[in-house]
Amino acid sequence: MEPYADVIIDLSVKNVDRIFQYRIPDHLKELVKPGVQVNIPFGKGNTERKGIVVGLSKETDYDPEKMKELLDVETGAVPIRTQMICLAFWMKDRYSTTMNQALKTVLPVKAKVMPREERVIVSLKPKNEIETLLIEAEKKKYRARIRLYRALLENGELPLKLTSEKLGITAAMLKPLVEKEIVDLKTVKKEPGAGNRFPETGPVALNQEQKNAAETVIRDYDSGQRNTYLLYGITGSGKTEVYMELIDYVLRKGRQAIVLIPEISLTYQTVMRFYRRFGNRVGIMNSRLSAGERYEQSERAANGEIDIMIGPRSALFTPFPDLGLIIIDEEHEGAYKSETAPRYDAREVAKVRADMSRAAVVLGSATPSVESYYLAEQGEYKLLTLTKRAKENSRLAGVHIVDLREELAEGNRSIFSRRLKWLIEDRLANRQQVMLFMNRRGYAGFVSCRSCGKAMKCPHCDVSLTYHKNGRLKCHYCGFERPLPDRCPSCGSPFIAPFGTGTQKLEEFTKREFPKARILRMDADTTAKKGAHEEILATFAEGGADILIGTQMIVKGHDFANVTLVGVMAADLSLYAPDYKSAERTFELLTQASGRAGRGELQGDVVIQTYAPDHYAVSSAAEQDYLQFYRQELLYRKMMGYPPLVRLLTIGLSSKREADVIRASEDMKRVILREYALDGLKVIGPVEDSPYKLNDNYRKILYMKHESYDILLKVRNCARKRENIPDLFRNVFVQYDLT
């Protein structure tokens, strides 16, 4: 038995971000192994700290007589697999983070929690009586009861927590049903997820394109190849069915699968789709779970009780013993890139974890990221394509571009173009549904003084406050809010007014223009309450509203058969954002929005209102032509020198003292230029980040461009060494992002 333990201290501090060695006392030798949590004496005062054993050693460079001993082993700690430790080491180097931060990311659960109980809703009536009750509820328009009865007919027994969150079922709504002995609430042993309560159904028949895609992966898998695949399929082409076919294959091989999704809140229907196909083999992992629930899910995965984990990027670190497949749905989404340390990209990490596990990776999207499609063209990814919608008789919507400049020139000052207004009236007359997309919440974009021209700004962030209909001004970055003042704080003028349009104002205009229409609004304000997200979607799906107004959360992945018209109110909002990916983001949003119309048997229409009808992001989205967009976007990035054609290192510096961040950023630029002037490195900045001031922190950015990843890696390491100068960087926080 090796006498020394290699320990990482549980402190996110750079000067202790290294391995410390401790002697292992005889009484702990059987307990100490890589992955356990230990208590250790640390520092001059021998302060008791927690650490993680990352290895065992027979030799040491330190005097064994002076070496400290481990105090004890945390008995309830979750073992760390060697593979996950290796992954953490890779993330530490790749994303320039501390080892402790990397370990906390890949191993989020540390302590055992006692098993708990949960409550479930049980139907006390036979199926035919529930069907009668459903008919009565539909007549009386009891929407919550309609959702409950339908779920009971499908599943018989429902976990209360999941049903409350996903279907908006409240205790007050259940009380009379319990009193009438229609349903009952019973307590059972807590089983995370709901898969154990749903009967498994057979696979759905795949069309030829879906079969070809699945068989390509399976054929490679059988031959021992473990590739990364890009599944590019138009909206509604049935990518999920391909995922399920591949998962079924991997499970039959005795291995496990991870399915990453961009949003935490899966729709109830999507959750149930996986549960009904795979039953109690499915687990759900997300940040809304308690520490105990996350532990239970991890334990079930490690012990072989579940074979599939679904969740956002954190689900990537599920401790499956024999991982065989990683699926990343909507791979283009920015949610897969962490904005906090370590700033990892789930797509990159998935590839590394798959290589370690001999697993396959499938990236899926109707609008693949430019980087992913470029890698597919270069042969690093294997391209799979779905060109047809999965549902028979379902066709892509007809798309109409409206030039708002022409509307204004011809006297139309309404937010609704004439074509969009006519089409909405037609859909309302035919009892079909409409979605209106406006990617800005609130009532107005900003409030400004008409006398001096100054906008009302957040005191903590360098952004304008958004006006909401309740008379409050809110910052959508830090949450600061204040009432709308009577007079301008700068000049005292009473002439202050809101400008621009958000979802609240759009809702008001829509009610005024179409007074008989039933309207729902879905944005961050209306979905702040727990369960509101699902309740709004369920109400709309059941025909409880004619028009759904919302931000980008309404255009991603939803499938409403009766929606035959989508109106994009202002396609330009994302087009001119200060980001080289702004055209890509716009194309993705417009294409995803267009994909919501005509998903059933009825023909759909999309109206895109814009001031830039000739921009290739808009015209390509209107034609649903990804390749046309990709070719033009790649040409733009080649001309401007942006990824994926060159590498980009972004160094972000922030401080509560503006002078400190200015001085530190200028010093870092000077040193980098001095060290790498002859290497063809292009340095831009330092420039002000957007927003420049955020949560009372001033932010500067340096951009470095080079074709060589290794050169930028050296630049980053040079910059990190500079951080050790206390006079310059004591009050400055630095982040690195290498793409």
Side-chain angles (χ1 to χ4, degrees):
M1 178 72 188
E2 287 80 359
Y4 309 115
D6 301 329
V7 178
I8 294 289
I9 311 301
D10 193 2
L11 285 170
S12 293
V13 180
K14 278 181 287 189
N15 60 2
V16 296
D17 183 34
R18 59 186 177 86
I19 289 173
F20 292 84
Q21 288 187 314
Y22 285 82
R23 284 203 317 270
I24 305 173
D26 290 340
H27 69 283
L28 295 180
K29 284 187 176 178
E30 295 301 317
L31 299 174
V32 176
K33 50 191 168 184
V36 300
Q37 206 174 50
V38 291
N39 293 316
I40 52 172
F42 187 73
K44 291 181 180 179
N46 286 326
T47 305
E48 185 172 328
R49 298 282 187 190
K50 292 189 184 302
I52 299 169
V53 177
V54 295
L56 301 174
S57 301
K58 292 181 179 179
E59 300 177 356
T60 178
D61 294 331
Y62 197 71
D63 184 353
E65 297 298 321
K66 295 180 181 179
M67 190 181 292
K68 299 174 184 178
E69 282 191 344
L70 299 177
L71 298 176
D72 56 57
V73 174
E74 288 282 310
T75 55
V78 178
I80 301 175
R81 282 147 183 76
T82 303
Q83 182 191 106
M84 302 304 284
I85 297 173
C86 292
L87 188 62
F89 269 104
W90 180 87
M91 290 176 67
K92 172 185 180 293
D93 291 336
R94 172 65 180 88
Y95 300 111
S96 189
T97 186
T98 66
M99 184 62 191
N100 189 54
Q101 285 172 327
L103 285 170
K104 283 185 174 180
T105 301
V106 304
L107 305 157
V109 182
K110 292 185 177 179
K112 291 184 178 179
V113 177
M114 292 298 292
R116 294 179 294 168
E117 296 178 328
E118 70 170 340
R119 303 184 80 192
V120 297
I121 306 169
V122 181
S123 174
L124 299 179
K125 300 291 184 182
K127 191 172 182 180
N128 62 327
E129 289 190 36
I130 295 293
E131 289 173 345
T132 303
L133 289 168
L134 173 60
I135 293 169
E136 291 176 5
E138 287 173 337
K139 288 179 181 177
K140 296 178 180 179
K141 296 184 178 180
Y142 291 158
R143 305 214 172 275
R145 290 192 186 185
I146 292 170
R147 293 194 290 272
L148 178 64
Y149 291 149
R150 285 177 176 169
L152 286 171
L153 285 171
E154 286 184 3
N155 308 303
E157 189 176 293
L158 304 167
L160 178 61
K161 183 177 180 183
L162 182 71
T163 307
S164 298
E165 289 179 356
K166 298 296 181 185
L167 295 186
I169 304 300
T170 64
M173 181 249 134
L174 285 172
K175 186 178 179 182
L177 301 185
V178 172
E179 291 172 350
K180 293 176 183 177
E181 297 185 347
I182 296 171
V183 299
D184 191 19
L185 295 174
K186 72 176 183 180
T187 302
V188 298
K189 183 182 176 182
K190 173 77 172 178
E191 293 288 351
N196 57 314
R197 296 195 173 81
F198 301 101
E200 294 183 34
T201 59
V204 174
L206 303 182
N207 63 30
Q208 193 58 51
E209 282 191 332
Q210 291 171 317
K211 283 180 184 176
N212 292 342
E215 286 172 0
T216 298
V217 180
I218 291 170
R219 191 166 51 248
D220 289 349
Y221 211 99
D222 282 338
S223 67
Q225 296 182 51
R226 299 294 185 269
N227 297 315
T228 298
Y229 302 87
L230 177 61
L231 178 59
Y232 161 48
I234 64 169
T235 54
S237 58
K239 292 182 288 295
T240 303
E241 298 304 335
V242 177
Y243 300 156
M244 288 187 176
E245 188 72 13
L246 295 176
I247 291 169
D248 186 69
Y249 166 80
V250 167
L251 265 55
R252 283 188 274 111
K253 290 282 187 181
R255 308 190 75 187
Q256 302 89 42
I258 292 171
V259 181
L260 299 189
I261 50 150
E263 305 292 340
I264 289 174
S265 51
L266 275 168
T267 65
Y268 184 78
Q269 291 78 11
T270 305
V271 172
M272 292 305 160
R273 243 172 120 183
F274 277 93
Y275 283 155
R276 281 195 288 269
R277 175 73 184 268
F278 298 107
N280 60 5
R281 303 164 104 173
V282 178
I284 301 292
M285 180 76 80
N286 62 56
S287 59
R288 292 182 183 178
L289 297 179
S290 68
E293 289 169 326
R294 287 197 297 273
Y295 170 76
E296 288 169 334
Q297 291 289 56
S298 293
E299 278 289 276
R300 293 180 76 208
N303 295 335
E305 295 174 34
I306 57 174
D307 303 307
I308 305 163
M309 186 64 80
I310 305 172
R313 61 176 185 263
S314 59
L316 181 58
F317 308 110
T318 302
F320 280 131
D322 192 12
L323 180 64
L325 177 66
I326 300 173
I327 291 169
I328 305 182
D329 191 29
E330 306 292 356
E331 69 84 25
H332 63 273
E333 285 283 352
Y336 289 123
K337 182 74 178 283
S338 172
E339 294 301 316
T340 57
R343 293 169 66 92
Y344 70 93
D345 188 324
R347 289 156 293 205
E348 277 189 337
V349 179
K351 183 74 168 60
V352 175
R353 183 165 186 202
D355 288 343
M356 292 176 175
S357 307
R358 293 288 295 145
V361 178
V362 177
L363 311 174
S365 177
T367 54
S369 63
V370 170
E371 288 82 0
S372 291
Y373 203 89
Y374 180 77
L375 289 173
E377 283 197 324
Q378 299 303 305
E380 291 191 39
Y381 295 169
K382 213 165 185 178
L383 183 63
L384 310 171
T385 306
L386 304 177
T387 62
K388 300 174 184 176
R389 283 196 159 179
K391 288 182 183 176
E392 278 193 56
N393 303 320
S394 176
R395 301 176 301 279
L396 289 174
V399 183
H400 317 275
I401 297 178
V402 175
D403 188 340
L404 291 177
R405 297 169 300 181
E406 292 181 3
E407 291 288 312
L408 185 62
E410 293 172 16
N412 180 17
R413 285 176 161 71
S414 167
I415 193 172
F416 297 98
S417 64
R418 290 163 295 179
R419 181 186 287 271
L420 180 57
K421 182 181 177 183
W422 179 82
L423 285 171
I424 293 174
E425 289 171 344
D426 174 74
R427 296 318 193 254
L428 294 176
N430 287 288
R431 299 185 180 278
Q432 295 169 13
Q433 291 175 299
V434 178
M435 295 173 75
L436 299 179
F437 167 53
M438 167 70 76
N439 204 23
R440 176 186 286 151
R441 62 188 170 110
Y443 188 82
F446 65 98
V447 172
S448 176
C449 173
R450 296 194 176 204
S451 296
C452 68
K454 290 190 177 179
M456 309 292 129
K457 288 200 167 187
C458 173
H460 308 290
C461 307
D462 188 25
V463 295
S464 299
L465 294 168
T466 300
Y467 177 67
H468 288 251
K469 201 175 178 183
N470 61 3
R472 307 287 293 178
L473 296 172
K474 292 183 181 180
C475 174
H476 289 166
Y477 283 90
C478 71
F480 170 84
E481 64 175 278
R482 59 164 294 180
L484 179 68
D486 296 326
R487 293 182 174 273
C488 173
S490 297
C491 71
S493 167
F495 302 112
I496 54 176
F499 292 84
T501 301
T503 48
Q504 284 186 359
K505 186 183 276 191
L506 175 58
E507 181 183 23
E508 182 181 287
F509 287 164
T510 307
K511 286 178 177 177
R512 191 186 307 161
E513 198 74 45
F514 310 101
K516 293 182 180 179
R518 298 166 300 163
I519 298 169
L520 284 172
R521 176 167 58 89
M522 185 171 173
D523 53 29
D525 299 312
T526 61
T527 57
K529 181 180 159 187
K530 195 172 185 179
H533 183 279
E534 289 79 12
E535 188 171 355
I536 292 169
L537 290 176
T539 300
F540 189 63
E542 292 158 10
D546 305 304
I547 301 174
L548 176 62
I549 294 169
T551 54
Q552 57 182 302
M553 62 176 67
I554 72 169
V555 302
K556 295 180 179 179
H558 305 305
D559 193 340
F560 303 113
N562 200 38
V563 170
T564 59
L565 176 62
V566 172
V568 180
M569 306 309 295
D572 312 274
L573 280 178
S574 56
L575 195 55
Y576 300 112
D579 182 355
Y580 74 89
K581 292 186 176 182
S582 60
E584 183 178 4
R585 297 278 180 262
T586 301
F587 174 80
E588 290 166 357
L589 282 172
L590 295 181
T591 304
Q592 294 287 344
S594 300
R596 297 316 106 205
R599 293 178 75 91
E601 294 186 4
L602 299 171
Q603 176 61 35
D605 286 288
V606 179
V607 176
I608 298 175
Q609 299 188 160
T610 177
Y611 288 98
D614 298 324
H615 194 286
Y616 63 89
V618 177
S619 58
S620 299
E623 295 174 28
Q624 300 276 291
D625 191 337
Y626 173 79
L627 288 179
Q628 176 179 296
F629 166 77
Y630 170 78
R631 299 293 177 213
Q632 295 190 66
E633 178 69 6
L634 202 66
L635 182 61
Y636 159 72
R637 294 195 189 183
K638 183 177 182 180
M639 291 171 60
M640 301 303 294
Y642 285 122
L645 296 158
V646 299
R647 294 284 190 167
L648 177 67
L649 171 64
T650 304
I651 303 178
L653 303 93
S654 63
S655 175
K656 293 194 178 295
R657 297 177 57 181
E658 187 175 19
D660 286 352
V661 76
I662 291 173
R663 188 173 56 153
S665 59
E666 291 290 352
D667 174 82
M668 196 166 274
K669 176 181 180 178
R670 179 180 56 80
V671 171
I672 290 170
L673 285 175
R674 184 186 68 202
E675 296 291 328
Y676 295 95
L678 301 178
D679 287 310
L681 182 73
K682 186 174 183 180
V683 180
I684 303 169
V687 296
E688 294 180 358
D689 200 352
S690 178
Y692 177 42
K693 185 181 178 185
L694 183 64
N695 279 323
D696 292 317
N697 280 285
Y698 296 92
R699 309 189 306 159
K700 289 275 191 177
I701 293 185
L702 277 164
Y703 297 101
M704 264 69 60
K705 293 180 181 180
H706 201 282
E707 292 181 0
S708 169
Y709 173 84
D710 292 335
I711 291 292
L712 290 183
L713 201 59
K714 290 177 182 177
V715 172
R716 188 189 69 184
N717 294 338
C718 170
R720 291 191 71 184
K721 288 178 183 176
R722 200 68 186 165
E723 287 183 64
N724 295 324
I725 302 174
D727 290 343
L728 273 173
F729 290 91
R730 181 181 292 112
N731 301 312
V732 178
F733 177 69
V734 186
Q735 281 191 312
Y736 303 89
D737 189 5
L738 181 53
T739 53

